[in-house]
Amino acid sequence: MSKVTMQDIADSLGISRVTVWKVFKNQSGVSSALRESVINKAKELGYTKTSLPYTPYEEEKTVSLIISRPDSSTFWTNIIHRMAQELSCHNVNMMYTYMPSAYTEGFSMPAILSSGDVQGVIVLNVYDETLVRLTDELELPKVYLDTVPQIRTQELHGDLILLEGHSTIYQITASVLSRGLTHLGFIGDIHYARTNLDRYEGFCHCMEDHKLAIDQQVCLTHSIGIFSYHQELCAFLDSLETLPQAFICASDYIAHFLRFYFVEHTDRIPDGILVTGYDGSREYPNVDKLITTANVHTGLLGKRLSMQIIYRMEHADAPYEVTYINPEVVYRDSVLR
């Protein structure tokens, strides 16, 4: 009788030989359930070429993704997709807990979050102060991606992951100034997200270091309705008698609205206008690959969030962490005509 091989085990389970090899070499990328199936099948077939790895029973866990408007952008869906993939490799289920965009009287947190069926939460795209504070009261391990600027980092009872904005926008602003442009505006609701505020402060810091006054008339930093961005930006631009030489935008989302406006008002920019963004999103084709931006690797960000909640669930008493993820600045011509 011929000896049992890895290929025999793989064929009997309908998986690849590489997956079987990963199990025997204790490599990552194989879920706990599949790893256990491989080892059990190897024992059943009498595989004796190497000692089988010990696989202790690992209790299945559930992480709740607390999120508002998950389908509002591919930025969020890409992060979520990678999170689900990574968590499944560690025998962790992911379930959705939907939040409204804004708190209303009578709202209460879903009972599932305090039923004992959830072992941790990841908070995405929740930018209402009251909702964040209610979430923070949950006696569960928590990881936040960004938060509202009204809540100090020290107030959060969980880990906070932030996309670095101060130094990144400082670099982008400096690159614009190096082209001889000195009259710059900034657009981004700095009351909405901590990351937006960081980006504005980076813009201000760069202007101050270059001894340039900030013209607040060409800066739009007040609260902007999440469902009325286009109208409010158009009203703001219409109100400006003179446009600045460039706009530093807190996101590509904002930049693409500017492009729509200037396509309809070419007479206002006879020589073009320089516009920069942030996020590196591919979902806005009218500015994609045209403007200087900061590329955020959403897949890796999703993986990072997954690894952080796993760590937090395993080390609930460890000091809370604040982590900055540095995006890659991509410089382009950025002049819209």
Side-chain angles (χ1 to χ4, degrees):
M1 182 178 178
S2 60
K3 291 184 178 180
V4 178
T5 65
M6 288 189 190
Q7 190 62 59
D8 293 329
I9 299 170
D11 292 343
S12 65
L13 292 171
I15 59 177
S16 70
R17 182 183 179 281
V18 173
T19 300
V20 176
W21 176 87
K22 284 183 177 181
V23 171
F24 292 147
K25 297 296 182 181
N26 286 314
Q27 299 291 311
S28 62
V30 183
S31 68
S32 299
L34 182 54
R35 188 179 296 272
E36 186 175 354
S37 296
V38 169
I39 293 171
N40 289 340
K41 181 59 68 174
K43 291 177 181 177
E44 176 188 325
L45 297 177
Y47 183 76
T48 58
K49 187 173 181 180
T50 184
S51 59
L52 298 176
Y54 171 65
T55 55
Y57 172 73
E58 184 179 350
E59 184 180 358
E60 196 172 70
K61 293 185 174 74
T62 297
V63 164
S64 176
L65 171 61
I66 297 179
I67 186 165
S68 174
R69 302 180 298 117
D71 300 324
S72 61
S73 166
T74 59
F75 179 85
W76 300 113
T77 54
N78 289 343
I79 293 173
I80 295 167
H81 180 64
R82 183 58 183 274
M83 279 172 45
Q85 287 181 319
E86 190 64 29
L87 289 171
S88 68
C89 292
H90 292 83
N91 205 30
V92 178
N93 298 316
M94 187 182 79
M95 74 174 210
Y96 282 85
T97 301
Y98 295 101
M99 284 283 189
S101 299
Y103 174 80
T104 55
E105 195 67 35
F107 173 84
S108 59
M109 297 295 287
I112 186 68
L113 297 175
S114 55
S115 66
D117 296 321
V118 173
Q119 287 72 52
V121 297
I122 298 175
V123 186
L124 293 187
N125 203 26
V126 178
Y127 290 110
D128 179 275
E129 180 182 356
T130 302
L131 292 177
V132 174
R133 291 191 183 279
L134 286 173
T135 300
D136 203 56
E137 292 175 1
L138 295 170
E139 295 184 0
L140 288 167
K142 293 178 285 290
V143 175
Y144 297 86
L145 176 61
D146 203 1
T147 188
V148 293
Q150 296 84 0
I151 298 178
R152 295 181 297 114
T153 300
Q154 295 81 358
E155 293 181 73
L156 289 176
H157 297 88
D159 298 323
L160 176 62
I161 293 181
L162 294 164
L163 293 171
E164 201 290 320
H166 187 286
S167 295
T168 302
I169 292 297
Y170 186 107
Q171 292 176 56
I172 290 175
T173 304
S175 73
V176 174
L177 296 177
S178 71
R179 297 169 68 164
L181 308 180
T182 56
H183 188 206
L184 278 54
F186 181 93
I187 300 181
D189 181 352
I190 64 174
H191 307 285
Y192 179 71
R194 164 75 176 272
T195 46
N196 278 6
L197 178 59
D198 288 348
R199 294 168 198 179
Y200 177 64
E201 289 177 346
F203 166 76
C204 293
H205 188 183
C206 186
M207 294 290 283
E208 291 166 4
D209 280 355
H210 286 78
K211 302 188 183 327
L212 294 170
I214 298 172
D215 183 357
Q216 293 295 341
Q217 288 189 327
V218 296
C219 293
L220 178 60
T221 58
H222 63 63
S223 296
I224 306 172
I226 58 175
F227 300 111
S228 58
Y229 247 91
H230 191 194
Q231 300 94 311
E232 293 190 48
L233 287 180
C234 287
F236 166 70
L237 294 169
D238 283 341
S239 71
L240 300 179
E241 291 186 15
T242 303
L243 292 171
Q245 296 168 299
F247 278 113
I248 309 298
C249 299
S251 67
D252 292 355
Y253 176 69
I254 294 171
H256 101 284
F257 282 130
L258 290 188
R259 182 68 189 273
F260 279 134
Y261 178 88
F262 290 126
V263 166
E264 296 175 353
H265 300 81
T266 54
D267 57 303
R268 301 204 65 188
I269 51 167
D271 299 316
I273 186 169
L274 195 148
V275 174
T276 68
Y278 189 112
D279 293 334
S281 177
R282 302 298 303 275
E283 64 185 302
Y284 309 117
N286 64 343
V287 294
D288 182 32
K289 298 182 180 179
L290 294 177
I291 63 173
T292 293
T293 188
N295 275 347
V296 177
H297 297 284
T298 51
L300 291 177
L301 184 54
K303 180 173 182 177
R304 184 67 181 82
L305 287 163
S306 301
M307 299 307 296
Q308 191 65 35
I309 192 59
I310 290 170
Y311 170 82
R312 180 50 52 192
M313 288 189 296
E314 293 176 349
H315 305 279
D317 295 331
Y320 296 131
E321 300 177 2
V322 178
T323 303
Y324 285 90
I325 306 294
N326 291 312
E328 173 194 6
V329 178
V330 179
Y331 298 100
R332 299 190 177 100
D333 177 64
S334 288
V335 177
L336 303 184
R337 294 181 172 85

